[in-house]
Structures are given as structure tokens and as C-alpha cells.
Amino acid sequence: MTPDDAEIAQLYAYPDTDRPWVRATFVATVDGAAHAVDGRSGSLGGEADTRVYRVLRSLADVVIVGAGTARTEGYRPASLPIAVVSRRLDVPEALLVPGQLVITTADAPADELERLRGTVDVIAAGEGRVDWAVVLDELARRGWHHVLCEGGPSLLGELVGLDLVDEVCLTVAPVLAAGGAPRIALGPEAVDRPMTLGHSLAVGDVLLTRWVRDRALG
Ligand SMILES: NC(=O)c1ccc[n+]([C@@H]2O[C@H](COP(=O)([O-])OP(=O)(O)OC[C@H]3O[C@@H](n4cnc5c(N)ncnc54)[C@H](OP(=O)(O)O)[C@@H]3O)[C@@H](O)[C@H]2O)c1
């Protein structure tokens, strides 16, 4: 039986912290593919995953999402700010409206940076690559401590590499995909980040799991 929204909200409550807490949410197939044959992930987890996705958004202060995912999945403005991460500033037009954010590097294309600053909130930090310490400070300065990273694999891979992911909410979808779909995190270096299981919940054949970074273990 699918838990109701109040039960889901209780299961996924953010911990009390005085710093931004970075939660990532993903769905993967049994064999670890991060998207279905159509190249998108939305359909993979069915109703249970969609419901968790909605509740996770309701608990968050801000969503951060890679430009690749925002483009592929057709992101649109929502009830909370969407922060698109893009080095090239290739942000879907639908998200270039007041109330949305763009996260980029300080050396991103200057003209485009100026144009975006006229419409959306921009955090430009780091040379060559985003300086996430500055970004998280900037999010905290805006009063946003509940950060929800909705992917995709390149963005999650970078955050895992920097050990900035506090939690992963992973739905395992009951399907095998094979093919060339990426895993949920892709990065230049392999790392070893111990996690502990917060909960696992089977809703029919869909498995909803929550994993918390265990920094005591390394
Ligand atoms: N299974 C799931 O739950 C899930 C979740 C999300 C996405 N996906 C799937 O993943 C696929 C998209 O993968 P992707 O690797 O393209 O995803 P992505 O990480 O969303 O996008 C990569 C792009 O985002 C920007 N970007 C990401 N990290 C950045 C960083 N640290 N600094 C600056 N820019 C950064 C860059 O954009 P610019 O090129 O504009 O500079 C980069 O080209 C889609 O098929 C989608 O359906 C699956």
C-alpha cells in the first residue's frame, strides 16, 4: 500500500542542521540505469515514486538541477525556486523567469551572464568549475537550507566527488534496461563514500530507499 503524503513527509523530514543539507533524489532500474528507453527518468518509478517526488519538493527550499536534465526532462517553474546548473548558460527558456536561479562559474560567457542577471537570480562562483562551498553559502544566505538535487548524473557525480551529498533518496524501479544509460552518478574519479540506510519501503514492486552519508565511517 502506498503511504499517504503525511506519512511520506514524516519519513523524509530533513534533519535539523545549521548548514545546507544536500539531498539527492533519483530513480534507477534494477540494473542501475538512470533513464528509461526514451532517455527520460520520469516514467520509471510509477505512482509511488511520483508521490515521493512531489513530497520531497514540498519539503525542500530549492531544487538544484543540471542543465542537461532540465533540458531533457522539460523543466518548468514550480512552487519552489529551480536552480539550473550550467557552465555554458544553456538554460531552458521556460526557466528564465523571475524567481528562478542559475548557478554557474564566474568566467561563464559575460554577455549571456549579464542578460540572465536582468531576469533571474544568478550565483556565479569559481573559475573553470563551480565553487560549491560559495554556492551553498549563497543558498544559506537566502535562507535555503533544504537543498534538493534532482540530478542528473554529471551534477550528482561532481557533488559526490566533493563529498557534499548528505543523503540520497533512491527509488529502485522494477525493470531491467541494459543499453547505455548512465548510472545515477558519473564523475572523473571513483570515490568511496560510506552511507547508512535511513529506510527502505516496498510499495508493490517499487522500492523506496533513503541513504544518509555516514562521515564517521570515512
Ligand atoms: N534517474 C534519475 O533519477 C535521473 C535524474 C536526473 C536526470 N536523469 C537523466 O540523466 C540524463 C541527463 O544526464 P546529464 O549527465 O546530461 O545530466 P546533468 O548533470 O543534468 O547535465 C549535465 C549538464 O549540466 C550542466 N552541469 C552539470 N553539472 C555541472 C557543474 N558541476 N558545473 C557546471 N555545469 C554543470 C552542464 O551544462 P552546460 O552544458 O549547459 O554547461 C552539463 O553539460 C537524462 O537522460 C535524464 O533523464 C535521471
Side-chain angles (χ1 to χ4, degrees):
M1 201 179 73
T2 312
D4 65 27
D5 288 2
E7 290 166 322
I8 296 172
Q10 212 168 12
L11 272 173
Y12 288 92
Y14 277 84
D16 271 337
T17 59
D18 53 4
R19 63 169 179 87
W21 180 268
V22 179
R23 161 180 285 169
T25 179
F26 275 83
V27 57
T29 65
V30 170
D31 54 345
H35 62 67
V37 278
D38 63 359
R40 300 170 75 158
S41 59
S43 59
L44 276 177
E47 198 218 313
D49 184 57
T50 304
R51 183 174 284 197
V52 168
Y53 175 83
R54 266 197 243 114
V55 174
L56 291 186
R57 278 199 167 191
S58 76
L59 298 173
D61 297 321
V62 61
V63 165
I64 57 172
V65 64
T69 298
R71 293 187 290 255
T72 309
E73 305 273 349
Y75 267 57
R76 307 192 58 78
S79 55
L80 74 174
I82 308 279
V84 178
V85 185
S86 173
R87 213 170 280 111
R88 294 182 299 131
L89 299 178
D90 182 4
V91 178
E93 282 295 323
L95 290 172
L96 294 179
V97 291
Q100 311 306 314
L101 260 91
V102 171
I103 295 173
T104 190
T105 55
D107 53 1
D111 290 356
E112 188 57 9
L113 205 49
E114 207 43 46
R115 182 178 86 88
L116 295 187
R117 280 200 163 113
T119 315
V120 295
D121 189 1
V122 176
I123 301 175
E127 302 274 327
R129 63 188 294 195
V130 171
D131 184 333
W132 284 100
V134 172
V135 170
L136 292 179
D137 281 351
E138 282 292 319
L139 297 181
R141 207 171 57 76
R142 289 161 175 76
W144 297 333
H145 287 88
H146 297 171
V147 178
L148 182 63
C149 172
E150 293 186 348
S154 313
L155 178 57
L156 183 64
E158 173 154 301
L159 297 177
V160 170
L162 295 167
D163 201 9
L164 290 174
V165 175
D166 295 300
E167 186 184 317
V168 176
C169 298
L170 174 68
T171 296
V172 180
V175 62
L176 290 168
R183 292 183 295 122
I184 64 167
L186 289 177
E189 289 166 46
V191 294
D192 183 10
R193 308 274 184 239
M195 308 289 283
T196 52
L197 183 61
H199 70 250
S200 74
L201 184 67
V203 179
D205 294 322
V206 173
L207 189 61
L208 305 171
T209 67
R210 174 170 171 263
W211 301 86
V212 182
R213 176 78 177 91
D214 192 338
R215 294 196 164 81
L217 291 177

